[in-house]
Amino acid sequence: MRCGTTLSHRCPMKHMKRNIISIALRILIIALGALLLGNALIVTMASNFNLGILLTYLVAGVLIAGGVLWHYILRYLPRWLWITVLVGLACVIVSASALLLYGQTDRVTHDEDVIIVLGAGIHGERVSLTLRDRLDAAIECHEQNPDAVIVVTGGQGPQEDITEALAMERYLVDHGIPQEKIWKEERATSTYENFVFSKALIDERLGEGYSAVYITTDFHMFRARQVAHRAGFEDISHAHSDTVWYLVVPSCLRECAAVLWYWVSGVS
């Protein structure tokens, strides 16, 4: 029913309701953007800068700008454009949730011959929280399977004073793992190289017919499994470590981009 009829008083009420909803959405979007911005700042101070942190800043900026310029966006930008952005954000949320869910499904049997710990960033000579959690998971596996050897894999990258593998070996030894049970692979600079170089090391020392388990963080598990098979591992299981809460968003954003790039280019 149109305004100007006996029920025209309903139109101002509808308009007010729409304004309240619009204001609430703007506040919600700006608040979410501010939270992500704060998250990015915390991670910047706690971790080596990487693509995940950059993407977190980018998403935070888009959300804050979207909330501030809400009316201009609705009025001047093509509907398909901002709908595409919203759909893209929704796809990222769904994909990240799927990665984390998949990463919780361990398949370790604790009778494997080799435990492979995939490298992550270190700060100078100190293992990062992500890498520490992977190593703690490896220690737990080794406690249940003390006959297994542990392969630590990772080269030296930016903001790192030593190789990741050396830092990992030091951490394991400090936590009671016998040094003779640790094999270092110190050349890898990617997930694919982690597996390829580790396999070459294990093949040289054990020959064929061994079983292995790799350990990585939950968000990384899906891509790591695909890469492991591509690198030639057939009899391999996996166990996870959990993502530190304030690293969830940057890590998942980075991993979504990495999975997409892997599917498109085959490069890991």
Side-chain angles (χ1 to χ4, degrees):
M1 187 171 292
R2 298 178 180 177
C3 292
T5 65
T6 56
L7 296 179
S8 61
H9 64 280
R10 292 184 180 178
C11 292
M13 293 298 295
K14 289 182 179 180
H15 184 67
M16 183 181 299
K17 185 177 181 180
R18 289 175 182 172
N19 281 341
I20 292 174
I21 294 175
S22 178
I23 292 171
L25 285 173
R26 289 182 66 188
I27 294 174
L28 178 62
I29 291 172
I30 293 173
L32 181 57
L35 286 173
L36 287 180
L37 179 60
N39 187 191
L41 291 171
I42 291 173
V43 178
T44 300
M45 292 184 290
S47 304
N48 296 339
F49 195 82
N50 56 48
L51 178 61
I53 298 174
L54 178 61
L55 290 174
T56 305
Y57 278 117
L58 178 61
V59 174
V62 169
L63 290 174
I64 292 173
V68 172
L69 303 174
W70 178 265
H71 293 303
Y72 295 97
I73 291 173
L74 295 181
R75 181 175 299 179
Y76 297 111
L77 289 185
R79 178 176 293 184
W80 65 267
L81 181 58
W82 56 265
I83 289 179
T84 300
V85 172
L86 292 176
V87 171
L89 288 173
C91 289
V92 170
I93 293 172
V94 171
S95 299
S97 300
L99 290 175
L100 291 173
L101 182 62
Y102 180 86
Q104 297 292 320
T105 57
D106 291 346
R107 298 181 181 179
V108 59
T109 62
H110 298 299
D111 60 2
E112 291 86 1
D113 301 304
V114 182
I115 301 169
I116 302 171
V117 189
L118 301 186
I122 62 175
H123 311 303
E125 299 186 5
R126 179 172 53 86
V127 299
S128 62
L129 288 176
T130 296
L131 187 52
R132 182 203 65 188
D133 290 343
R134 294 182 187 182
L135 292 167
D136 288 343
I139 292 170
E140 291 181 11
C141 282
H142 193 265
E143 288 174 349
Q144 298 185 60
N145 183 16
D147 292 330
V149 295
I150 301 177
V151 175
V152 289
T153 168
Q156 184 175 349
Q159 305 175 63
E160 298 177 347
D161 296 335
I162 59 175
T163 65
E164 294 172 7
L166 178 55
M168 295 159 76
E169 179 189 49
R170 290 176 178 176
Y171 183 91
L172 291 174
V173 170
D174 288 344
H175 286 76
I177 302 298
Q179 191 158 13
E180 63 271 16
K181 284 292 185 179
I182 304 170
W183 298 348
K184 293 196 304 293
E185 183 292 299
E186 300 183 272
R187 295 182 295 155
T189 60
S190 68
T191 301
Y192 181 68
E193 290 182 353
N194 283 148
F195 283 113
V196 169
F197 296 156
S198 294
K199 188 175 188 302
L201 176 64
I202 300 166
D203 287 350
E204 179 183 352
R205 299 189 181 188
L206 295 183
E208 299 181 353
Y210 59 84
S211 60
V213 55
Y214 69 88
I215 295 177
T216 190
T217 317
D218 48 14
F219 68 83
H220 185 230
M221 190 69 70
F222 174 76
R223 180 165 59 97
R225 183 161 185 81
Q226 296 184 67
V227 175
H229 289 306
R230 179 185 167 204
F233 281 98
E234 296 181 1
D235 185 10
I236 191 164
S237 53
H238 56 74
H240 82 283
S241 62
D242 293 321
T243 308
V244 181
W245 68 268
Y246 59 81
L247 294 176
V248 169
V249 172
S251 297
C252 286
L253 288 176
R254 181 185 182 188
E255 188 62 18
C256 286
V259 169
L260 181 61
W261 178 247
Y262 178 70
W263 285 346
V264 170
S265 67
V267 178
S268 60

